[in-house]
Amino acid sequence: MIVTGQGARGTLAIGGRLFDCALGRSGVVAADTKREGDGATPAGKWPLRRGFYRADRLTLPASLKDWFQPIEADMAWDDDAASPSYNRLIRTRIDNHPERLARADGIYDIVVPLGYNDDPPRAGLGSAIFLHVARADFAPTAGCVALALPDLLAVLAQCDEGSTLEIR
């Protein structure tokens, strides 16, 4: 699976099909220049990690259930570079946490963390780089790759935990 981008828009290619996607507001940058909060999508080949979904909003195809887990209300992704759990799933009671997975806007109704800066995470190099649902207008992301929900489901049907996403 390959994403090529021009600015904040891109195309994801998989299985002979092309899908429009939104990218970071700063476009694609070399991974060694990526920084927390820069709005850039890091170039490179990143494994797909365990996915999450809103069971109250979606019914996943059976083929995805093995590597996806339901999102719970207290789940969030830690984007605090000073935290010992930086760039990892956390449980929090902070309702306005910036990377809460149970979002009202639906963009994290299905979300797959990319294996960027996570083995081990290095503070300040960027966190929460996800494959997730795009906004209706394909507005730029904060650095993630986002597709329309039907397209995202079609793409994920051809993947499994450990598949890779190459961003160019």
Side-chain angles (χ1 to χ4, degrees):
M1 167 168 52
I2 298 173
V3 170
T4 53
Q6 280 293 93
R9 291 298 293 268
T11 302
L12 186 149
I14 185 171
R17 294 183 63 192
L18 300 176
F19 299 93
D20 290 331
C21 60
L23 302 172
R25 66 183 177 274
S26 301
V28 176
V29 300
D32 62 353
T33 66
K34 171 86 179 116
R35 297 295 177 263
E36 188 69 42
D38 64 3
T41 302
K45 191 171 185 176
W46 313 115
L48 303 184
R49 302 297 193 207
R50 182 175 238 346
F52 303 92
Y53 75 105
R54 291 288 300 266
D56 59 328
R57 295 184 179 176
L58 296 174
T59 301
L60 287 185
S63 62
L64 296 181
K65 288 194 177 199
D66 287 345
W67 62 290
F68 278 80
Q69 75 180 72
I71 291 172
E72 297 176 28
D74 65 346
M75 288 178 165
W77 210 261
D78 194 343
D79 60 359
D80 177 357
S83 170
S85 55
Y86 177 66
N87 201 24
R88 300 209 187 280
L89 178 69
I90 58 171
R91 301 295 183 132
T92 182
R93 294 181 187 197
I94 300 171
D95 289 337
N96 64 347
H97 189 284
E99 289 299 336
R100 179 167 293 286
L101 297 186
R103 294 174 59 126
D105 63 9
I107 68 169
Y108 289 173
D109 280 1
I110 188 159
V111 58
V112 181
L114 300 182
Y116 167 76
N117 189 31
D118 71 343
D119 189 23
R122 293 185 12 214
L125 297 185
S127 64
I129 305 298
F130 298 144
L131 181 60
H132 66 73
V133 179
R135 297 182 193 286
D137 63 355
F138 281 81
T141 70
C144 300
V145 176
L147 294 95
L149 179 59
D151 294 347
L152 181 54
L153 289 170
V155 165
L156 292 173
Q158 299 181 60
C159 300
D160 57 22
E161 186 176 5
S163 291
T164 59
L165 175 64
E166 184 175 351
I167 301 169
R168 300 179 180 166

